[in-house]
Every structure is written in C-alpha cells, then in structure tokens.
C-alpha cells in the first residue's frame, strides 16, 4: 500500500513537472517570437524615410503570421516575398530566377548560392521562411480550409480615470462638448487560411464619439489569392500598393540607408486593409488577373474623403464658392 502511494505521488510530481515545463517552454517561445519580430521591425524602421508617420499594423501582422506559418519559398509569389520587407527587388527576382532555372529548393541552406543573398540577409529571413514542395489551392476542400484555417481576435479597451471636462457639463441645460462617453473600444477579427483566403473586420469607437448601435469606424474585407488566372480578388476595404508613391501609395517607404537597393518601394499590389486608420484605404472591390508574365489590376472604390474648405472671398458669383485647402487625416 505504501509502495502504491509512493508511486502515485511520484506520478503526480512527474505530471506537475511536465505541465510546468511545458508552460515555461510556451512562455519562452512567445518571448522569443516577440523578440525576433521586434528586432526585424527595428531593422525595417531604421530604413524608412525620415519623419515617416506610418501605421505598422500590417507589418506586425505579416511578420507574426510568417513566423507562425513560414513562407514556402518554392511557391511564394513576388508580392509575398516583398511582404517580408527584408528582401530587395533584386534579391526577390534572383531567387525566383534561381528556382525557375534549377528547380525547387531542397534545403534552406541553398539560399547561400543565390546571387545577392549574403549571411545577414539569410539570417534576417530565416525565422519567417521554409522550404517545402510547391502547392496551391487546387484540390483543397472547404473542410480542410476550416480545419486548418486560423482565427485571431484582438480586443482593446481604455479610459482615462480622471474626469474630463468635455464629457460633462456644470449647467444641466447645456449638453457636454462630446456626445459620447470617454470609453475607447477596439476589436479586430481575422480568419486566415495560408495566405490564400483572408476574411475579417475591424471596429473602433473613439472617446467622445456617440455609439448608436454601431462603432464610429467599421472596416471589413474578404480576400483571395492564388497562382491562377485570378491572381487576387478583394471585396470590402483594401489597399492598392503600386508605383513609387508620387500619387498612389500608402505602404512603407524606405529612405537613405547603407542598403542602396532598398530606396525603391516594394509594390505588392492588392492587399486587405486591417488597420484602424480611417483614411489610408479604398472601399469597394478589386481584382488582379494574370496570364504568363502579364497582369491586369481592375479597381473600384466608393470611399468618401473629408476635406477642409475655405470660402473664396473675391468670388463674383451669386453662390458662395469654396476651395479645398487640405484633407482630413485625424478621423
């Protein structure tokens, strides 16, 4: 009997130690992931243009996803490789040329023979990439998509504890300056299957904004991507990253740095919009069609933009005339 009790306690102790070690290991893995992603973001931020005020939501989401689901270099498109923001256009094209000429990579260490891939570059992308046989969505069932897809939800709430004058009034007959409460609420949900299918929404209600059954900002999207005739399709809110930022760009733009090849912006085309910024996106639908080496992108957007108006004082017309002085960016 004594022997059985001793064995039981030994089993309980062993089980407790196992669970504790797994908990510590999981915590260490999370800390390691956070540290690696922070280091890469700092590296990328150091290459951006000076005084650039950019939303890093997409960058953080992309690096986090590729850390948890490493990008298969044998089937990665040019746009997906550029989403890492750790490779230049020359390196991306050299990698794809190497795979086209010599076939799929068999080992991650083969990157050393790709022109332009030095030790520093390989070390930077290593946590976010892998090498597997190429594949696509062909033959994938809905059951597989829902079983292997990932769900992510992020919630945020904050409120200033000290009373704020704008939210109350000393005169009962006078309404407060702000119609809403001092509460801030934010929720973001995303379903994702590889990088092929993405669906989600973002909702935010700023302090002072009145909540009438819906938040003051709501954004949703449905996104499809694959190496078929329909390369990309997005419905809802999206970004279109083309050109070099003269008229149509809202992604990361690199400035002066020792990496002279990074001054050119990496245009990744269409992508779903997941940020809470109320200005830097399009609302409607868009698609990218491809055939061999040619691509055609068709876009439609019906998003209204707020502007600051100024009356024209020397107008000779009967009706008042106004001119746009600037666009609202505060939301």
């Amino acid at each position: 009997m004594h022997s059985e009790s001793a064995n039981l306690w030994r089993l309980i102790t062993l089980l407790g130690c196992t669970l504790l070690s797994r908990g510590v290991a999981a915590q260490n893995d999370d800390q390691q992931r956070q540290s690696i992603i922070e280091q890469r973001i700092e590296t990328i931020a150091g290459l951006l243009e000076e005084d650039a005020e950019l939303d890093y939501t997409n960058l953080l989401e992309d690096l986090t996803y590729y850390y948890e689901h490493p990008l298969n270099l044998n089937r990665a498109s040019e746009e997906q490789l550029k989403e890492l923001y750790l490779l230049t256009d020359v390196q991306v094209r050299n990698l794809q040329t190497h795979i086209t000429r010599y076939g799929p990579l068999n080992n991650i260490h083969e990157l050393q023979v790709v022109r332009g891939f030095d030790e520093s570059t390989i070390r930077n992308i290593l946590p976010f990439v892998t090498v597997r046989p190429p594949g696509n969505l062909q033959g994938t069932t809905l059951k597989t998509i829902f079983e292997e897809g990932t769900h992510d939800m992020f919630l945020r709430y904050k409120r200033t504890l000290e009373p704020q004058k704008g939210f109350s009034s000393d005169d009962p007959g006078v309404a407060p300056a702000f119609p809403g409460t001092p509460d801030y609420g934010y929720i973001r949900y995303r379903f994702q299957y590889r990088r092929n299918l993405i669906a989600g929404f973002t909702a935010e209600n700023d302090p002072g904004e009145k909540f009438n059954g819906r938040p003051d900002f709501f954004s949703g999207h449905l996104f499809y991507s694959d190496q078929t005739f329909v390369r990309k399709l997005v419905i809802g809110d999206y970004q279109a990253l083309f050109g070099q930022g003269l008229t149509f760009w809202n992604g990361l733009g690199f400035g002066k740095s020792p990496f002279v090849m990074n001054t050119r912006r990496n245009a990744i085309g269409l992508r779903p919009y997941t940020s809470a910024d109320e200005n830097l996106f399009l609302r409607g639908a868009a698609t990218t069609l491809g055939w061999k080496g040619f691509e055609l992108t068709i876009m439609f957007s019906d998003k209204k933009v707020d502007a600051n108006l100024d009356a024209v004082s020397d107008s000779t017309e009967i009706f008042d005339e106004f001119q746009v002085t600037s666009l609202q960016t505060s939301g």
Side-chain angles (χ1 to χ4, degrees):
M1 189 72 177
H2 177 74
S3 176
E4 292 180 357
S5 299
N7 291 335
L8 178 61
W9 281 110
R10 198 173 292 118
L11 177 61
I12 293 175
T13 303
L14 179 60
L15 180 60
C17 292
T18 302
L19 295 176
L20 180 62
S21 63
R22 288 184 178 179
V24 173
Q27 184 177 4
N28 291 337
D29 290 342
D30 291 339
Q31 292 176 349
Q32 181 181 11
R33 177 185 63 179
Q34 182 178 355
S35 175
I36 291 176
I37 293 176
E38 287 179 354
Q39 291 174 5
R40 299 307 185 271
I41 291 180
E42 288 178 2
T43 300
I44 296 171
L47 305 176
L48 297 178
E49 298 172 348
E50 295 182 2
D51 302 326
E53 297 181 0
L54 298 170
D55 193 323
Y56 289 88
T57 302
N58 290 333
L59 177 59
L60 177 61
E61 287 183 349
D62 289 341
L63 292 181
T64 301
Y65 177 83
Y66 285 131
Y67 186 90
E68 297 174 350
H69 309 84
L71 179 62
N72 184 10
L73 295 179
N74 284 329
R75 71 174 305 272
S77 65
E78 182 177 348
E79 290 79 9
Q80 289 175 327
L81 292 170
K82 290 178 180 179
E83 285 179 354
L84 297 174
Y85 289 100
L86 295 168
L87 297 175
T88 66
D89 284 357
V90 175
Q91 290 171 327
V92 170
R93 291 198 176 96
N94 286 346
L95 174 60
Q96 293 187 325
T97 300
H98 180 89
I99 293 175
T100 301
R101 182 176 300 172
Y102 302 106
L105 301 175
N106 295 316
N107 191 289
I108 195 70
H109 299 293
E110 286 188 46
L111 290 175
Q112 299 177 71
V113 300
V114 178
R115 181 177 299 179
F117 278 73
D118 53 17
E119 182 180 352
S120 176
T121 300
I122 297 174
R123 185 172 59 251
N124 282 334
I125 68 171
L126 200 57
F128 309 101
V129 299
T130 187
V131 171
R132 296 193 305 270
N136 51 43
L137 278 179
Q138 185 176 2
T140 303
T141 63
L142 287 177
K143 182 180 179 181
T144 302
I145 292 175
F146 285 109
E147 287 181 350
E148 299 182 6
T150 59
H151 301 265
D152 296 305
M153 179 171 287
F154 182 79
L155 302 172
R156 182 189 301 159
Y157 169 83
K158 63 181 180 180
R159 174 173 179 156
T160 303
L161 296 179
E162 294 81 7
Q164 296 174 288
K165 187 176 181 180
F167 295 98
S168 61
S169 176
D170 297 332
D171 188 348
V174 178
F178 302 114
T181 68
D183 301 289
Y184 170 85
Y186 172 87
I187 179 174
R188 185 179 73 231
Y189 167 78
R190 167 182 276 198
F191 170 81
Q192 185 162 317
Y193 176 72
R194 299 177 182 172
R195 298 296 286 182
N196 299 103
L197 295 174
I198 302 174
F201 67 87
T202 302
E204 181 190 49
N205 207 82
D206 292 318
E209 295 283 356
K210 192 173 182 180
F211 187 81
N212 292 320
R214 57 165 296 175
D216 69 277
F217 175 72
F218 184 86
S219 172
H221 58 267
L222 178 63
F223 178 77
Y224 160 85
S225 174
D226 200 10
Q227 296 300 311
T228 59
F229 176 71
V230 180
R231 302 284 173 84
K232 293 182 178 181
L233 174 64
V234 59
I235 300 174
D237 294 343
Y238 64 95
Q239 290 178 303
L241 309 182
F242 296 101
Q244 292 300 300
L246 297 179
T247 59
F248 204 68
W249 183 277
N250 47 29
L252 299 177
F254 296 100
K256 297 178 181 179
S257 74
F259 304 95
V260 295
M261 299 306 296
N262 276 7
T263 56
R264 184 179 185 274
R265 298 194 177 198
N266 293 328
I268 60 177
L270 302 177
R271 65 171 300 154
Y273 185 72
T274 59
S275 176
D277 189 294
E278 301 181 21
N279 303 280
L280 302 178
F281 66 95
L282 303 172
R283 176 165 289 174
T287 184
T288 296
L289 308 177
W291 182 73
K292 293 185 178 180
F294 298 92
E295 286 188 347
L296 171 66
T297 297
I298 304 172
M299 301 179 295
F300 167 77
S301 176
D302 189 25
K303 179 180 179 296
K304 297 181 180 179
V305 180
D306 293 331
N308 296 316
L309 302 179
D310 188 18
V312 179
S313 58
D314 59 348
S315 174
T316 59
E317 299 291 337
I318 300 177
F319 301 101
D320 293 334
E321 290 187 0
F322 296 89
Q323 62 181 4
V324 175
T325 59
S326 61
L327 298 178
Q328 286 279 4
T329 59
S330 64

